[in-house]
């Protein structure tokens, strides 16, 4: 059970980090418009809370991954 939760946390963090990277990449490359220059595409502004809490979310995912890793059988 712990191994499954560990892999779910790893998958979630990988997907979330890709989400943050792609948002930044798409605004820097000009693929998406960003009129207020906050590195969030204008079409994604409705998810602004995810970007505002980015550091806290990454920190919590790191703590969860570290905690679950201590109980895995690897």
């Amino acid at each position: 059970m712990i191994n499954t939760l560990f892999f779910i946390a790893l998958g979630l963090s990988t997907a979330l980090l890709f989400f943050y990277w792609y948002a930044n990449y798409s605004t820097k490359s000009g693929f998406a418009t960003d009129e207020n220059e906050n590195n969030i595409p204008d079409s994604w502004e409705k998810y602004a809370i995810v970007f505002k809490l980015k550091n806290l979310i990454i920190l919590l995912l790191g703590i969860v991954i570290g905690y679950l890793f201590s109980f895995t059988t690897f």
Side-chain angles (χ1 to χ4, degrees), residues 7-64:
F7 286 121
I8 289 172
L10 277 178
L12 179 66
S13 62
T14 303
L16 198 60
L17 288 174
F18 179 76
F19 177 75
Y20 290 139
W21 171 81
Y22 188 73
N24 193 16
Y25 173 75
S26 63
T27 56
K28 296 288 184 191
S29 66
F31 180 70
T33 59
D34 185 21
E35 292 181 6
N36 53 0
E37 297 179 5
N38 61 353
N39 291 332
I40 304 171
D42 291 337
S43 61
W44 295 9
E45 289 288 335
K46 56 187 168 191
Y47 305 116
I49 189 73
V50 176
F51 291 99
K52 288 181 183 176
L53 298 175
K54 177 176 142 179
N55 293 331
L56 181 64
I57 292 170
I58 292 172
L59 175 67
L60 289 176
L61 280 172
I63 291 170
V64 167

